[in-house]
Amino acid sequence: MRTFKSSISLNFGAALIAMLAVQGFVLAQSQEHSGTGETELLYEGAPSGISPESTKDMVDSEGPPMTMEEFSRSKKIFFERCAGCHGVLRKGATGKPLTTDLTRAKGSEYLKVFITYGSPAGMPNWGSSGELTSEEVDMMARYLQHEPPLPPEWGMTEMRESWTVVVPPEDRPSKKMNGYDIDNVFSVTLRDSGQVALIDGDSKKIISIVDTGYAVHISRLSASGRYVYTIGRDALINQIDMWMEKPDTVAKIKVGLEARSVETSKYKGYEDKFAIAGTYWPPQYVIMDGNTLEPLKIASTRGMTVDTQEYHPEPRVAAIVASHEHPEFIVNVKETGKVLLVNYEDIDNMQVTTIGAARFLHDGGWDSTKRYFLTAANKSDKIAVVDAKEQRLQKLIDVDKIPHPGRGANIMDPEHGPVWVTSALGNEKVTFIATDPVNHKDKAWSVVRVLQGQGGGSLFVKTHPKSRNLWVDTPLNPDEKISQSVAVFNIDDLAAGFEVLPIAEWAELGEGPKRVVQPEYNKAGDEVWFSVWNGKEQQSALVIVDDKTRKLKAVIKDPALITPTGKFNVYNTVHDVY
């Protein structure tokens, strides 16, 4: 039985924790974080693609009392607001681990304060902001002290049941049946409508709107350029045949419950033969037939982390690229910090080379020779360089907070020779890494130049071999003037700083957040396309800029262009031009 004295102690302790947390929260708001907390939340805090209803509940006697109705409500909140940062199994990624050995030790009062007021490290103040009620905060504090609910696995049986060949290969066109220059077509993600728009880069007209998975993360092209492969956050892959009179889906498959990456084989002799997809849940990748998407081989990514050598049950596949040096896929495993070189010469006796890099691996791209893969370990603040020819880690390079390169940008620096460029979520810096170990051996694999961009919250940098411009977006910066514009540097005079172009203003869309995201070149390298990503119920647009004059060239508006984000030019994607 609790005594009066112990009750006073507990209440005083809780009050003291709350007071300290409030002070810490206020201090956090007054410190300069370059918008990091807000931008990370926007970036990672999207709802999980996993349906909460599909999970197995794990209410147990060791956690605080909860009704099943409370557990169900809490689970829904966690999957919608928290899983992107903390992981479905709460082992941590962008956010800290929230496993029961930690949460039970902290206790309900501490957790309530943490959820209510947030933290200087970027944890949102869910309670004091009004996003969660006090009842919901209390409920979430108790929920976190129960074991995380387990989503179902997704294996060969489930994949084959979801697999549909809409048009068999023998019934597809034997030659191109349309008059489009397919090399200059753009596949544009329409994030909130679960579609992609195929747009003719010459006429600027929409060719086709294709239903896909939800919030397509990426479009990838077969080596021939014939097939577009898209993958939604819900792990649904669509194979779109560009030879059809009106390009459309010819095969589809659901490879899991949540995903981000798809790629196709590019090595000589294996063009168009295989496709691969990696999933967030279950943590695994699958190799498929490139013509039909038939699932052939599934491999798990669960295993030990590169640093602490502890087991991780949820290491998500973040990005995949196709090697030009060997018949291999290069697979980034986020939470364990491993890069896998998956050889597809004989998938029944598949050989996988494991390279220890750093956590938490995200996206990356090739250097100009397409021998070296540079990829961001964004929460370790490092760029990992993988030598695809020698199949080994070349170097880990320290950079500033939260690099986010997309595929990066390759330019010929007037002073340092060939360099690869990344921007960042966590600061305004644009970092140049030297990539020539032959003619610039003393500089290779080191940071040789850092430019000051507009601010943090950048997702993509972009250039083109025929351009002398370097474009840097900042869609997740909290300042509207910055998120609605783009910075452009003159490669021949980098010291001169950047020019700001008011892309969203040029679109003339009216109200809405109007974030400007992802510069993408056309095939010729003389136009740069930008998505003006507005609210779902508001008008969005694509803005096209003349690369040489930096003047507005065209604006594409259409009611069908709902929340456009990523854009992928066929030629540039096939040939890894960035």
Side-chain angles (χ1 to χ4, degrees):
M1 181 175 178
R2 185 186 295 174
T3 65
F4 177 70
K5 182 177 179 179
S6 65
S7 296
I8 292 176
S9 299
L10 283 170
N11 290 335
F12 176 76
L16 179 61
I17 292 170
M19 180 182 71
L20 292 173
V22 171
Q23 290 176 345
F25 177 73
V26 172
L27 177 61
Q29 301 308 297
S30 66
Q31 292 174 339
E32 178 58 51
H33 289 284
S34 300
T36 304
E38 193 169 340
T39 58
E40 286 185 57
L41 175 62
L42 284 166
Y43 178 62
E44 293 284 6
S48 169
I50 301 171
S51 167
E53 291 74 28
S54 69
T55 62
K56 181 180 178 181
D57 294 341
M58 302 295 286
V59 181
D60 58 67
S61 59
E62 295 182 48
M66 289 194 84
T67 66
M68 289 307 299
E69 193 273 335
E70 286 178 323
F71 193 89
S72 179
R73 285 172 59 198
S74 299
K75 179 172 62 174
K76 186 173 187 294
I77 291 171
F78 186 86
F79 274 63
E80 289 180 349
R81 300 172 188 249
C82 315
C85 288
H86 297 284
V88 172
L89 300 183
R90 308 204 299 252
K91 286 286 288 184
T94 301
K96 299 292 185 183
L98 294 172
T99 49
T100 54
D101 59 318
L102 301 173
T103 58
R104 289 173 184 168
K106 297 294 186 183
S108 295
E109 294 301 327
Y110 177 95
L111 293 171
K112 283 195 288 186
V113 169
F114 187 71
I115 296 167
T116 299
Y117 297 106
S119 78
M123 168 74 176
N125 54 320
W126 294 113
S128 62
S129 69
E131 291 286 326
L132 296 180
T133 66
S134 57
E135 176 195 5
E136 289 171 329
V137 168
D138 175 73
M139 190 171 66
M140 290 303 295
R142 287 180 284 134
Y143 169 80
L144 293 176
Q145 295 173 75
H146 290 269
E147 294 297 331
L150 293 174
E153 298 295 325
W154 195 269
M156 186 60 76
T157 298
E158 291 80 7
M159 287 190 199
R160 295 194 74 88
E161 287 176 351
S162 74
W163 171 49
T164 302
V165 179
V166 180
V167 182
E170 61 269 21
D171 295 335
R172 298 172 194 170
S174 57
K175 61 181 180 180
K176 189 163 75 77
M177 302 299 292
N178 58 63
Y180 302 111
D181 177 6
I182 290 176
D183 277 352
N184 201 33
V185 170
F186 290 76
S187 177
V188 182
T189 296
L190 305 181
R191 188 183 187 280
D192 293 319
S193 66
Q195 299 172 316
V196 294
L198 301 176
I199 300 179
D200 178 20
D202 296 330
S203 68
K204 314 297 190 288
K205 302 294 186 183
I206 296 174
I207 298 169
S208 181
I209 301 288
V210 181
D211 292 333
T212 59
Y214 171 70
V216 163
H217 191 71
I218 204 164
S219 295
R220 280 288 169 260
L221 275 296
S222 61
S224 66
R226 173 172 181 172
Y227 294 115
V228 175
Y229 299 81
T230 67
I231 189 163
R233 286 182 178 239
D234 56 2
L236 178 64
I237 298 175
N238 284 63
Q239 179 187 9
I240 301 168
D241 188 355
M242 298 298 292
W243 280 14
M244 298 170 71
E245 185 176 357
K246 184 178 181 181
D248 207 345
T249 295
V250 292
K252 56 186 176 180
I253 187 173
K254 188 171 170 62
V255 293
L257 300 180
E258 187 170 6
R260 299 292 188 277
S261 54
V262 67
E263 180 61 291
T264 64
S265 53
K266 292 184 178 180
Y267 190 71
K268 186 176 181 180
Y270 292 89
E271 298 92 338
D272 293 19
K273 184 172 183 178
F274 293 114
I276 183 175
T279 49
Y280 270 28
W281 188 270
Q284 60 193 29
Y285 57 89
V286 56
I287 296 176
M288 299 160 284
D289 182 278
N291 281 319
T292 65
L293 296 183
E294 179 183 4
L296 304 173
K297 185 78 170 183
I298 304 171
S300 173
T301 55
R302 293 180 171 104
M304 316 308 284
T305 61
V306 295
D307 43 15
T308 58
Q309 299 287 296
E310 62 180 307
Y311 178 75
H312 200 296
E314 191 189 352
R316 301 176 286 186
V317 177
I320 304 174
V321 297
S323 175
H324 301 272
E325 298 286 349
H326 299 281
E328 292 177 338
F329 293 117
I330 300 181
V331 178
N332 275 357
V333 186
K334 195 179 188 83
E335 279 76 15
T336 54
K338 295 177 181 177
V339 180
L340 308 180
L341 309 184
V342 180
N343 187 292
Y344 48 74
E345 288 179 287
D346 180 2
I347 63 172
D348 290 327
N349 301 282
M350 195 163 66
Q351 296 183 21
V352 179
T353 301
T354 301
I355 297 174
R359 297 196 289 175
F360 293 84
L361 290 171
H362 189 62
D363 211 351
W366 296 104
D367 79 308
S368 58
T369 69
K370 298 182 178 63
R371 171 175 173 171
Y372 299 97
F373 176 56
L374 293 94
T375 183
N378 55 21
K379 289 302 289 184
S380 297
D381 300 330
K382 295 181 186 297
I383 297 294
V385 183
V386 173
D387 183 342
K389 183 176 182 178
E390 298 293 333
Q391 300 166 304
R392 63 183 179 85
L393 181 69
Q394 180 73 32
K395 192 170 182 184
L396 285 174
I397 303 167
D398 291 325
V399 294
D400 281 341
K401 196 169 185 181
I402 318 179
H404 192 288
R407 289 301 191 228
N410 287 300
I411 69 172
M412 181 63 71
D413 186 285
E415 181 180 350
H416 304 292
V419 299
W420 180 89
V421 184
T422 179
S423 56
L425 275 167
N427 62 72
E428 74 286 355
K429 296 178 181 179
V430 182
T431 301
F432 289 44
I433 294 171
T435 60
D436 182 6
V438 177
N439 299 311
H440 298 80
K441 188 175 181 179
D442 58 327
K443 297 179 179 180
W445 319 126
S446 63
V447 174
V448 293
R449 188 188 296 271
V450 179
L451 303 178
Q452 301 297 307
Q454 286 202 86
S458 177
L459 293 180
F460 299 100
V461 291
K462 187 70 71 172
T463 190
H464 189 278
K466 296 180 181 178
S467 172
R468 302 310 296 164
N469 288 323
L470 173 67
W471 302 85
V472 184
D473 71 8
T474 42
L476 300 186
N477 193 284
D479 186 329
E480 283 190 359
K481 289 182 179 179
I482 296 176
S483 65
Q484 295 182 6
S485 60
V486 66
V488 55
F489 293 86
N490 179 352
I491 293 172
D492 297 318
D493 189 9
L494 293 167
F498 55 83
E499 179 183 359
V500 176
L501 301 188
I503 303 296
E505 181 182 314
W506 287 349
E508 298 182 343
L509 295 177
E511 64 177 12
K514 300 187 292 291
R515 296 187 184 99
V516 174
V517 64
Q518 204 219 17
E520 176 73 345
Y521 276 87
N522 63 343
K523 176 186 175 183
D526 57 10
E527 292 177 355
V528 191
W529 292 41
F530 297 90
S531 297
V532 184
W533 170 20
N534 216 351
K536 183 178 181 180
E537 305 301 326
Q538 295 154 326
Q539 188 176 37
S540 293
L542 300 176
V543 171
I544 301 165
V545 177
D546 186 293
D547 183 66
K548 287 184 171 58
T549 66
R550 301 181 180 177
K551 302 297 183 184
L552 175 65
K553 189 169 184 178
V555 177
I556 303 175
K557 294 182 186 178
D558 191 288
L561 294 180
I562 299 171
T563 57
T565 51
K567 300 165 299 304
F568 304 90
N569 175 269
V570 169
Y571 181 87
N572 293 335
T573 304
V574 168
H575 297 280
D576 290 314
V577 176
Y578 32 79

